[in-house]
Every structure is written in structure tokens, then in C-alpha cells.
Amino acid sequence: MQVTVVILTKNEENNIIGVIENAKRITNTVLIIDSGSTDNTVSMAEANGAKVVYREWDNDFSAQRNFALKHVDTEWVLYLDADERLDDELCNSIKKVVSYGQQMQYSIIRKIHAFGFEYKHGIFKPDKVLRLFPTKTVHWENKVHERPICALPKEKLAGFIEHYTYSSWQQWWDKAGEYTTIWAEDSFAKGKRTSLGECLGHSIYGFFRAYIIQLGFIDGWSGLYSSLQHFIYTMMKYLKLYELQNKKKC
């Protein structure tokens, strides 16, 4: 096959069979980069025909994605998260562009499902993500909220990724705690500094942008609490950065 689907995992036994079966709609080459699962993720992935390679987790999502490229032998690579699924139209689009072989990077519209609700607006509104690349043309940067670096022209594929993310408040809280810590440590290492006033300012603006500018209020209560989540998430990021810089002064 001409494309490898790369999936990063850690303790994804509830998603792993579904995402592998979904990926096999476009290719037989599925690569799992596991960062130390303690559940049945690895055995289930291997039993369902995926190749599993281990890389120790070091709080760096880009490092995991770049590591995957060392194990990709196909001309094309597509990144898919364990809780994402390609719809029918997107599967057909991917197979077409891969067969044509035109050197471009491809974006996909992703629909967000969280807490049993499909978001249309606000911070969880559908977004555009770059996921399909000629293998030798891409690398990733940023430890969290990572982004691909690729010099090729961009084109949007028809179809959607359905992203079935947070199923509980605890799951969101755990991930928010992990991601904000990584962001704060990485930002501090890059020389970024903040103040308590900036912490509050960024958080208030984050809520305003999600709820008003991005029309989160149209989604009703779901839009309100997702905007409040974004306020809390932003506050946590900057407070952790503020905490780090004060510790270094001691």
C-alpha cells in the first residue's frame, strides 16, 4: 500500500480496535507508536494486524510523531488519533489523492464530539487539521498542540474526521492537567514569561473568544461550559508558567 496510518497510543484499549478497523479502510499498513500502555492496547493492536513500536513518553507529542517517520516505508503518511474516525467520503478522497501521487499536504475538517454532544461553534467547533503528507516532506514541532512543518502547497480533502473526544469531566481534567504542564514547561524553557495580570487577561479573552467571537453561545449549555473549560485551561497554563518562573527566582 502507498500510505501508512500512524496512531499514537497509551492505554487506548477502548478505542484501538475501532481505529485500526477504520484505518484499514484506506490501507493495510497501520503503525502504532505506543508510549507505555499498561492495559491491553498493544496486544489488541497486534492481534488486529497493526505494527507496534514503543517509544518512552517524554512529554513531547512532536517527538512521538517524528519518531514514527523513522518506521514509515510508504510514500505517504497519515496521522490519526485513537479516538478519531475517517468518514466514507474522506476514505475515498484519501485513496484518490494517494493514487494520483501529487506532491501536496492535505488538510481535513474535523468534527468534535465531546460529553455526548457534537459541537458546531465555540472552542470545540469543527477545525481544519493537516494530516496527510508525502512521508519525506514533513516534521513536527511543539511538545503539545504540535504542528506539522511542510513546505508543500496545501489542499483540503473532501469528507470529515469524526473526533470522539472527552467522554467525562474527569477525562478532560486529567488531560488538561497534563497538557498545561507540558505547555508551561516548554514555554518557560523557550524564554516565555508572564504575570498574574496576563494570566487573568488571557483567560478572560479565551472565554470571550470562545463564547462570543466563535459563537459558542449558539450551542446552548454545551457552548457555555466548553467556554468555561477554555477559561480554566488557559488560566492553568499561565499560572503554571508563573509558578515556574517564581520557583526559579528562589
Side-chain angles (χ1 to χ4, degrees), residues 144-249:
V144 68
H145 304 307
E146 66 277 18
R147 67 188 187 99
I149 304 300
C150 179
L152 295 176
K154 300 175 184 177
E155 184 171 310
K156 183 174 74 69
L157 292 173
F160 299 94
I161 287 176
E162 303 286 350
H163 187 195
Y164 298 94
T165 183
Y166 311 112
S167 58
S168 69
W169 289 95
Q170 187 62 53
Q171 184 188 25
W172 177 83
W173 184 254
D174 291 343
K175 283 192 176 182
E178 179 185 7
Y179 289 5
T180 53
T181 296
I182 295 172
W183 181 90
E185 292 174 348
D186 189 43
S187 296
F188 181 82
K190 292 176 179 177
K192 186 176 180 63
R193 301 295 182 265
T194 192
S195 66
L196 289 177
E198 285 185 345
C199 291
L200 182 60
H202 282 296
S203 303
I204 291 173
Y205 175 72
F207 174 84
F208 179 81
R209 180 168 64 90
Y211 195 63
I212 303 299
I213 298 176
Q214 296 179 326
L215 306 178
F217 64 89
I218 296 178
D219 283 342
W221 285 109
S222 295
L224 176 60
Y225 62 64
S226 66
S227 299
L228 290 170
Q229 283 176 299
H230 191 54
F231 174 91
I232 295 168
Y233 183 88
T234 306
M235 179 70 77
M236 288 171 65
K237 286 199 314 182
Y238 282 93
L239 283 177
K240 287 180 178 181
L241 175 59
Y242 183 76
E243 181 180 56
L244 277 175
Q245 66 191 50
N246 283 339
K247 282 182 178 179
K248 297 299 182 180
K249 291 178 181 178

Side-chain angles (χ1 to χ4, degrees), residues 1-5 20-30 77-78 80 86-88 90-96 98 132:
M1 304 298 288
Q2 295 176 307
V3 59
T4 296
V5 174
I20 291 173
E21 289 179 345
N22 184 246
K24 284 186 174 180
R25 297 182 62 190
I26 62 168
T27 183
N28 290 324
T29 310
V30 181
V77 59
L78 184 141
L80 191 65
L86 314 172
D87 74 1
D88 293 342
L90 179 55
C91 288
N92 291 331
S93 298
I94 292 169
K95 286 187 281 190
K96 285 180 182 178
V98 168
L132 178 63

